[in-house]
């Protein structure tokens, strides 16, 4: 069949991964088992398997063509207009990509809902970076915000994420998107923190709506995201927020150490929070190996190890 939109997008420069080649496993229409209120695609009926999709052969041939034209691709990103793990031949596709990718990394961006299906769990184990969403911990919030397909169970997802983190030898990143009045209440934030501690991902990206959403919902403020980051003590939290306010302050050595003990800070956090003198102190702590700069799948964190 022919596709009105391309399977491949890119290569495009990515802030985290260098040059990224995007693979859209659902190029013609939205195919998803969620219909999130904040989705940037049009609302659509949920489904549990894709009905229209490119063959493994077509995807691999497109990747080979791109490799010939652009030999310096750093990462192949598996995504979709919808949910990429609904692609019926996911494991076979990943096996074929792994045969030809050489040093190129693989990344998948998924809503996380299918992780408890054995074949998908196994397929995810073969990908270099797995980034999954987790917007809510209570089934009520999950249903309301992510408008899930019947039968998807948040408890089973969290249990599988805990197992996955223990088993994977690769990078596992979680993403939480906060929406005003839906998952920004104290109770839900605490429940998320408890679940995230058990899952123990390498990194948690937190953010809010920054593109026109499918339904009438509102973003949360930067202050709310900062509060969440401070609640998620000891976790590598990366705040993603467009036009983040710059509020630099002066911190002494004791304050810097105690802040980093509470939570690791990204380079972006430092740029937005530290005045020049505080940065000098931080760099000295780095030179003295009291603070370390640790890479977590493309995001650098200042940490006390
Ligand atoms: S999981 Fe992603 S594609 Fe699916 S509805 Fe939610 S935001 Fe849209």
């Amino acid at each position: 069949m022919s596709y009105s939109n391309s399977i491949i997008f890119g290569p495009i420069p990515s802030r985290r991964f260098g040059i990224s080649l995007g693979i859209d496993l659902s190029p013609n229409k939205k195919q998803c088992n969620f219909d999130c209120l904040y989705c940037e695609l049009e609302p659509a009926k949920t489904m549990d398997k894709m009905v229209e999709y490119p063959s493994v052969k077509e995807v691999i041939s497109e990747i080979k063509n791109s490799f010939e034209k652009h030999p310096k691709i750093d990462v192949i990103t598996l995504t979709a207009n919808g949910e990429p793990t609904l692609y019926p031949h996911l494991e076979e596709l990943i096996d074929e990509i792994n045969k030809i990718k050489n040093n190129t990394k693989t990344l998948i961006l998924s809503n996380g809902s299918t992780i408890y299906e054995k074949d998908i769990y196994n397929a995810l184990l073969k990908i270099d970076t797995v980034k999954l969403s987790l917007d809510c911990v209570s089934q009520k919030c999950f249903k309301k915000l992510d408008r899930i397909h019947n039968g998807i169970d948040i408890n089973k997802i969290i249990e599988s994420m805990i197992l996955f983190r223990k088993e994977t030898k690769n990078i596992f990143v979680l993403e939480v998107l906060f929406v005003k009045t839906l998952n920004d209440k104290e109770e839900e934030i605490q429940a998320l923190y408890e679940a995230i501690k058990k899952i123990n991902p390498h990194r948690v990206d937190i953010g809010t709506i920054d593109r026109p959403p499918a339904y009438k919902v509102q973003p949360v403020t930067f202050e709310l995201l900062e509060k969440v980051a401070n609640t998620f003590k000891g976790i590598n939290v990366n705040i993603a927020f467009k036009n983040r306010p710059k509020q630099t302050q002066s911190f002494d050595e004791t304050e810097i150490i105690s802040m980093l003990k509470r939570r690791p800070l990204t380079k972006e956090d430092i740029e937005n929070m530290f005045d020049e003198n505080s940065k000098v102190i931080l760099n000295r702590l780095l030179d003295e190996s009291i603070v370390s700069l640790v890479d977590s799948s493309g995001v650098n964190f200042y940490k006390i190890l």
Side-chain angles (χ1 to χ4, degrees), residues 30 32-36 38-41 80-83 111:
K30 176 169 167 178
C32 194
N33 54 352
F34 287 7
D35 186 30
C36 301
Y38 59 75
C39 186
E40 59 193 55
L41 305 172
N81 271 313
E83 170 50 34
N111 66 21

